[in-house]
Amino acid sequence: MSAEIINVGDELLNGETVNTNAAYLAAKLQEFGIELHYQTTVGDDSLRIQKNLKRALSRSSIIIITGGLGPTKDDITKKVVADVLGKQLVSHEPTLSKIHNKLKDLTSSISKTNEKIALYPEGAQIIDNPIGTAPGIIISENGKRIILLPGVPKELKAITERNAILCFSQSREKNYVIKHQILKVWGTPEAKVGEVLEDIMGENKNPLVGLRVDVEEGVKVSITAKGGSVAIAQKLIEDMENIVKQKLGDAVYATGETSMEKVIGMLLSINKKTIAIAESITGGLISKKITDIPGSSNYFLSGMVTYSNESKIKDLKIPEELIKENGAVSEQVAKAMALAVKNISSANIGLSTTGIAGPSIGTTNKSLGLVFIGLATDNKGCQVEKYQFSGTRSMIRTKTAQTALDMVRRHLITI
Amino acid sequence: MSAEIINVGDELLNGETVNTNAAYLAAKLQEFGIELHYQTTVGDDSLRIQKNLKRALSRSSIIIITGGLGPTKDDITKKVVADVLGKQLVSHEPTLSKIHNKLKDLTSSISKTNEKIALYPEGAQIIDNPIGTAPGIIISENGKRIILLPGVPKELKAITERNAILCFSQSREKNYVIKHQILKVWGTPEAKVGEVLEDIMGENKNPLVGLRVDVEEGVKVSITAKGGSVAIAQKLIEDMENIVKQKLGDAVYATGETSMEKVIGMLLSINKKTIAIAESITGGLISKKITDIPGSSNYFLSGMVTYSNESKIKDLKIPEELIKENGAVSEQVAKAMALAVKNISSANIGLSTTGIAGPSIGTTNKSLGLVFIGLATDNKGCQVEKYQFSGTRSMIRTKTAQTALDMVRRHLITI
């Protein structure tokens, strides 16, 4: 069973928009064990969409078309699909009501234009769009499945997340369902994760366990299970999730869509702990991540970006001699920074970063990517970890931020 | 003249990698006035690459293929292209030396594998890769141009930036050259920019002026000029650049690849001014952007992330009554924050942000997206600007950060 994605939209062909939908859908298909063979982008052009759809029908069993479901003149996807399949476009009443409700204060001509959103090829299945008006559409025809999704990434994702099984379940029988889960790992390299999970990985297993890597989020372990019912598939997932967690231990920091900063926010809230951060190499990135989470003001007491030596001395009262003797990128300074920011803000946890992000290593004889992270806590004094990261300036900063947050997480799960 | 992009790589079809190359190349083609009709992604599969290339040759005049130029077994692009065109693969001596130099300390078997990188279809033109080993390749055949580029985005970009004219110049005659330039605009909406530039825009003009929008970087005005020599094309660009700058005035903040934070870094350095930042709504994002620039410790004195009311009171000594009376999101608090951080750090400029990023508006009766930005300077006291931004939490924070930096820029160009 192979799939193909057709992304429709002029904005994807003039460089205005990076196509994130393709990678998102590709990952989803992967989770369901479906091979993606082709991805094509075409503009808002009837003839080109038509040609691509016909070609796709001749070679793929699942065809996902994104974009062109909206109300404007250049939104032509549904018309083209209906024409190719020899179907009529009919109006979907619930969607129509939704549109009328939403637009009730607007003029009737706008309302009229928007009624186009409710049209769908006769006989197709409508999937509700929880955050927008244009719904998803699934057409089953001669053993092929055509899935139409809106091009707005947030809407496409919202629809797909809620209906992944409906869209991608490989089994045509109603009594088979597929469930999947992602476990995120930080601090263990991909090769090591692969080694540890070797005996549960492999093709044609149920559940199927796979790996992929992301610079920002680390190693992602995906589990896909197939079962005779939702409960059975869910049980398979949960059992395997426990096995993976047991094998990898604390390295698993989150499941599903949850981010590291979300986990830390929850752990700080549950434990009623507060945090303060003194950033040098990360320059504000850790504070930015922590405050990405709504409600973070409850536990995030203070962030100090002490990028220059002067600022370390002035804002954090780090003794000038300490910096002179050891350099700003040192275990000693990381420790002093973490203790100082904890003390100044009266937080339960003080976190600090100092390192060399490059591109030049400045006047020191230390190596590019050398990083010290300090973690001062109420009972355990101050722990400092030394790292040697590789990559560009931006990658070194990203890895440092995530590793620092992970140190906080590992501390919080042991208290 | 129409173009087509074929992106080759399994990593693009399993969701591991978002295809940023396609959007980058699409924008580049746009600058040269070349229409992109198709973009296709295929895996590392000979037959599928071959079929796509043949189809592309039948319908497009410029075909750009990315990826699969490396040394490993799944890097098959050059072989497929050579086969389709009936050409031999031959070795490019300068590239071979580069590889041998780079790998001189490694075993001969690794060296042997890497020699594959130097192979290219006979008669093709080699374009140097300034940051990697695999060069770009241009094949001109029966009025068609096939351009092969490495899949690593940084390398692809480095090669393309230096050789854009060679790759995308529409004119086949040697004595015509095309030059282009981008002007970045912040603080003026796209529609307004379009209105102001209306009389110099339009199809088939020389230079050609186009617009596109980016959430992070604002409106981008592209200028593409064609001339009988580099000097003539360059003169056309410069004249038009001056006209656009005259029409848009201070709203143009940068040209080419230069970012807002780079501009501010240069302006601060030139004027020997220093800056300190107190961030609430942006939570560290402005400090992170400023410190994205190497050497920023020379002018960035201090960043304080005072996200909670407590931290504003404690770290910035904002009077508690001021927050109680006006709310944390107010002109008064923005002003007090900017003045406080300037004062505490003895910087020439104090910048502050406070606002409601959502998703909820908390206990205030203020609207989502309401933002105040404060700018305290040596001679002009403290200026506060009020904004009402729209979009998601992340978009509101991004817009606030860029607008705050733009306020600093506008201040610096008037002193």
Side-chain angles (χ1 to χ4, degrees):
Chain A
M1 197 164 200
S2 74
E4 163 153 13
I5 298 172
I6 303 174
N7 301 109
V8 178
D10 283 344
E11 75 282 5
L12 299 167
L13 290 181
N14 62 18
E16 266 174 34
T17 308
V18 172
N19 185 353
T20 53
N21 287 336
Y24 167 75
L25 290 169
K28 267 278 162 268
L29 289 165
Q30 185 90 340
E31 285 169 17
F32 281 87
I34 301 170
E35 274 191 49
L36 176 63
H37 284 181
Y38 300 94
Q39 174 272 325
T40 311
T41 305
V42 281
D44 302 311
D45 178 301
S46 285
L47 195 68
R48 285 186 211 133
I49 300 171
Q50 199 186 95
K51 276 190 185 169
N52 271 280
L53 174 58
K54 284 184 180 167
R55 189 177 307 123
L57 282 166
S58 75
R59 67 189 182 188
S60 304
S61 23
I62 295 185
I63 298 137
I64 306 170
I65 309 181
T66 73
L69 306 186
T72 65
K73 215 179 150 185
D74 56 3
D75 289 313
I76 50 179
T77 302
K78 292 186 288 191
K79 179 82 175 68
V80 173
V81 172
D83 285 352
V84 167
L85 300 176
K87 289 187 185 293
Q88 293 294 314
L89 284 176
V90 294
S91 194
H92 184 245
E93 283 308 322
T95 304
L96 206 57
S97 320
K98 197 171 167 183
I99 292 161
H100 286 155
N101 265 329
K102 203 178 156 188
L103 301 175
K104 57 176 180 260
D105 299 330
L106 297 173
T107 64
S108 65
S109 73
I110 292 179
S111 236
K112 203 76 204 158
T113 313
N114 276 279
E115 285 177 4
K116 203 178 139 186
I117 295 173
L119 293 178
Y120 72 106
E122 213 170 359
Q125 189 174 359
I126 295 291
I127 353 178
D128 184 49
N129 180 340
I131 61 168
T133 40
I137 298 169
I138 301 180
I139 306 157
S140 298
E141 186 85 3
N142 304 324
K144 308 270 179 180
R145 207 177 318 171
I146 303 173
I147 303 166
L148 310 185
L149 295 168
V152 181
K154 287 186 95 169
E155 299 188 15
L156 178 138
K157 215 170 158 179
I159 294 177
T160 313
E161 286 301 322
R162 293 196 179 194
N163 300 281
I165 290 159
L166 198 63
C167 293
F168 306 128
S169 162
Q170 289 193 61
S171 171
R172 317 291 306 173
E173 297 137 85
K174 275 262 158 64
N175 55 348
Y176 266 92
V177 292
I178 290 183
K179 284 272 178 191
H180 52 97
Q181 177 64 294
I182 295 276
L183 305 187
K184 297 181 187 173
V185 178
W186 191 263
T188 310
E190 186 192 15
K192 180 74 187 162
V193 175
E195 209 179 293
V196 171
L197 302 184
E198 200 179 2
D199 55 324
I200 54 168
M201 290 176 70
E203 285 175 41
N204 302 318
K205 290 204 176 182
N206 185 28
L208 195 68
V209 177
L211 295 185
R212 54 196 166 101
V213 190
D214 182 293
V215 179
E216 278 201 44
E217 296 212 291
V219 180
K220 295 181 179 178
V221 182
S222 70
I223 308 171
T224 311
K226 202 168 135 178
S229 71
V230 172
I232 292 170
Q234 194 58 47
K235 179 79 171 57
L236 284 169
I237 290 279
E238 279 161 21
D239 290 350
M240 185 52 85
E241 206 178 312
N242 288 332
I243 294 171
V244 172
K245 280 179 179 166
Q246 207 166 34
K247 282 179 179 282
L248 291 170
D250 292 346
V252 178
Y253 69 86
T255 54
E257 290 295 300
T258 309
S259 65
M260 179 74 87
E261 44 273 25
K262 185 84 186 276
V263 170
I264 285 165
M266 291 187 295
L267 287 170
L268 287 168
S269 300
I270 291 168
N271 291 294
K272 298 203 185 348
K273 298 288 179 195
T274 56
I275 190 168
I277 303 172
E279 303 187 57
S280 182
I281 182 173
T282 44
L285 178 56
I286 300 178
S287 298
K288 189 259 171 191
K289 275 175 179 275
I290 294 261
T291 59
D292 274 341
I293 306 302
S296 45
S297 55
N298 292 326
Y299 48 79
F300 176 64
L301 292 196
S302 179
M304 302 185 84
V305 184
T306 53
Y307 198 70
S308 62
N309 287 353
E310 291 70 27
S311 154
K312 290 179 186 78
I313 295 164
K314 196 166 174 185
D315 300 334
L316 293 173
K317 314 276 179 262
I318 307 288
E320 196 171 346
E321 303 74 50
L322 195 75
I323 298 178
K324 270 198 183 144
E325 272 167 36
N326 306 286
V329 179
S330 62
E331 186 180 336
Q332 292 83 350
V333 169
K335 185 172 178 178
M337 286 172 70
L339 287 168
V341 78
K342 178 180 187 305
N343 187 36
I344 292 170
S345 64
S346 309
N348 300 112
I349 296 170
L351 181 69
S352 72
T353 63
T354 181
I356 301 171
S360 82
I361 58 163
T363 52
T364 75
N365 54 1
K366 290 167 180 169
S367 62
L368 185 67
L370 176 69
V371 168
F372 293 91
I373 302 176
L375 180 75
T377 53
D378 281 341
N379 305 318
K380 293 185 189 163
C382 186
Q383 158 199 7
V384 177
E385 298 288 341
K386 180 181 174 179
Y387 295 92
Q388 181 62 54
F389 294 122
S390 60
T392 60
R393 179 176 173 87
S394 147
M395 281 162 75
I396 291 170
R397 281 160 52 106
T398 300
K399 288 178 191 173
T400 303
Q402 192 79 345
T403 304
L405 289 172
D406 195 45
M407 268 177 74
V408 174
R409 180 186 67 87
R410 286 174 192 261
H411 162 68
L412 286 169
I413 54 179
T414 56
I415 58 172
Chain B
M1 198 165 200
S2 73
E4 166 154 10
I5 298 171
I6 302 173
N7 300 110
V8 178
D10 283 343
E11 73 283 5
L12 299 167
L13 290 180
N14 62 16
E16 266 175 34
T17 307
V18 172
N19 184 352
T20 53
N21 287 337
Y24 167 75
L25 290 169
K28 267 278 163 270
L29 289 165
Q30 185 90 341
E31 285 168 19
F32 280 87
I34 301 170
E35 275 191 48
L36 176 63
H37 284 182
Y38 301 93
Q39 175 272 324
T40 311
T41 305
V42 282
D44 302 312
D45 177 301
S46 284
L47 195 67
R48 287 187 209 130
I49 300 171
Q50 198 186 96
K51 276 190 185 169
N52 271 280
L53 174 58
K54 284 183 181 167
R55 190 177 308 121
L57 282 166
S58 74
R59 65 187 181 188
S60 305
S61 22
I62 295 185
I63 298 138
I64 306 170
I65 309 180
T66 72
L69 306 186
T72 64
K73 214 180 154 187
D74 55 4
D75 289 312
I76 50 180
T77 302
K78 292 185 288 192
K79 179 82 175 65
V80 172
V81 172
D83 285 351
V84 168
L85 300 177
K87 290 187 183 295
Q88 294 293 315
L89 284 176
V90 295
S91 195
H92 184 243
E93 283 308 322
T95 303
L96 206 57
S97 319
K98 198 171 165 181
I99 293 161
H100 286 155
N101 264 329
K102 203 178 155 187
L103 302 175
K104 57 178 180 259
D105 299 331
L106 297 173
T107 64
S108 65
S109 73
I110 293 180
S111 235
K112 203 77 205 158
T113 313
N114 277 279
E115 285 179 3
K116 204 179 138 185
I117 295 173
L119 293 178
Y120 72 107
E122 212 171 357
Q125 190 173 358
I126 295 292
I127 354 179
D128 184 50
N129 181 340
I131 60 168
T133 41
I137 298 169
I138 301 180
I139 306 156
S140 299
E141 187 84 1
N142 303 325
K144 308 269 180 182
R145 208 178 318 173
I146 303 173
I147 303 166
L148 310 184
L149 295 169
V152 181
K154 287 186 92 169
E155 298 187 15
L156 178 138
K157 214 169 157 179
I159 294 177
T160 312
E161 286 301 321
R162 293 197 179 194
N163 301 283
I165 291 158
L166 199 63
C167 293
F168 306 129
S169 162
Q170 290 194 58
S171 170
R172 315 293 303 175
E173 295 137 85
K174 275 263 160 63
N175 54 348
Y176 266 91
V177 292
I178 288 182
K179 284 272 179 191
H180 54 95
Q181 177 64 295
I182 295 275
L183 304 189
K184 296 181 188 174
V185 177
W186 191 263
T188 310
E190 186 193 15
K192 180 74 187 161
V193 174
E195 209 180 293
V196 171
L197 302 184
E198 200 180 2
D199 57 322
I200 54 169
M201 289 174 71
E203 285 175 41
N204 302 317
K205 289 203 175 184
N206 185 29
L208 195 68
V209 178
L211 296 186
R212 53 196 167 103
V213 189
D214 182 294
V215 180
E216 278 201 44
E217 296 213 292
V219 180
K220 295 181 178 178
V221 181
S222 70
I223 306 171
T224 311
K226 201 169 134 176
S229 71
V230 172
I232 291 170
Q234 194 57 47
K235 180 78 172 55
L236 283 170
I237 289 279
E238 279 162 21
D239 290 351
M240 185 53 84
E241 205 178 313
N242 288 332
I243 292 171
V244 173
K245 281 179 179 165
Q246 208 165 33
K247 282 178 180 284
L248 292 170
D250 292 346
V252 177
Y253 68 85
T255 54
E257 290 296 299
T258 309
S259 65
M260 180 74 88
E261 44 273 25
K262 185 85 185 276
V263 170
I264 284 166
M266 290 189 295
L267 287 170
L268 287 167
S269 300
I270 291 168
N271 291 294
K272 298 201 186 347
K273 299 288 178 195
T274 55
I275 191 167
I277 303 172
E279 303 188 56
S280 183
I281 182 172
T282 43
L285 179 55
I286 301 179
S287 298
K288 188 258 172 194
K289 276 177 177 273
I290 295 262
T291 59
D292 274 340
I293 307 302
S296 45
S297 56
N298 291 326
Y299 48 80
F300 176 63
L301 291 196
S302 178
M304 302 185 82
V305 184
T306 54
Y307 198 68
S308 62
N309 288 353
E310 292 69 28
S311 153
K312 289 179 187 77
I313 295 164
K314 197 167 173 184
D315 299 335
L316 293 173
K317 314 277 180 260
I318 307 287
E320 197 170 347
E321 303 75 47
L322 194 74
I323 298 178
K324 270 196 182 146
E325 272 167 36
N326 306 285
V329 179
S330 62
E331 187 181 334
Q332 291 84 350
V333 170
K335 186 174 177 176
M337 287 171 70
L339 288 168
V341 78
K342 178 181 187 306
N343 187 36
I344 291 170
S345 64
S346 309
N348 301 112
I349 297 170
L351 181 69
S352 72
T353 62
T354 180
I356 301 172
S360 82
I361 58 163
T363 53
T364 76
N365 54 0
K366 289 168 181 170
S367 62
L368 185 67
L370 175 70
V371 168
F372 293 92
I373 303 175
L375 180 75
T377 53
D378 281 341
N379 303 318
K380 293 184 189 166
C382 185
Q383 159 199 8
V384 177
E385 298 288 341
K386 180 181 173 180
Y387 295 91
Q388 180 60 56
F389 294 121
S390 60
T392 60
R393 180 177 173 86
S394 147
M395 281 163 75
I396 292 170
R397 281 160 52 107
T398 300
K399 288 177 192 174
T400 303
Q402 192 79 344
T403 304
L405 290 172
D406 196 45
M407 268 177 75
V408 174
R409 179 187 67 87
R410 285 173 193 261
H411 162 70
L412 287 168
I413 55 177
T414 57
I415 58 173

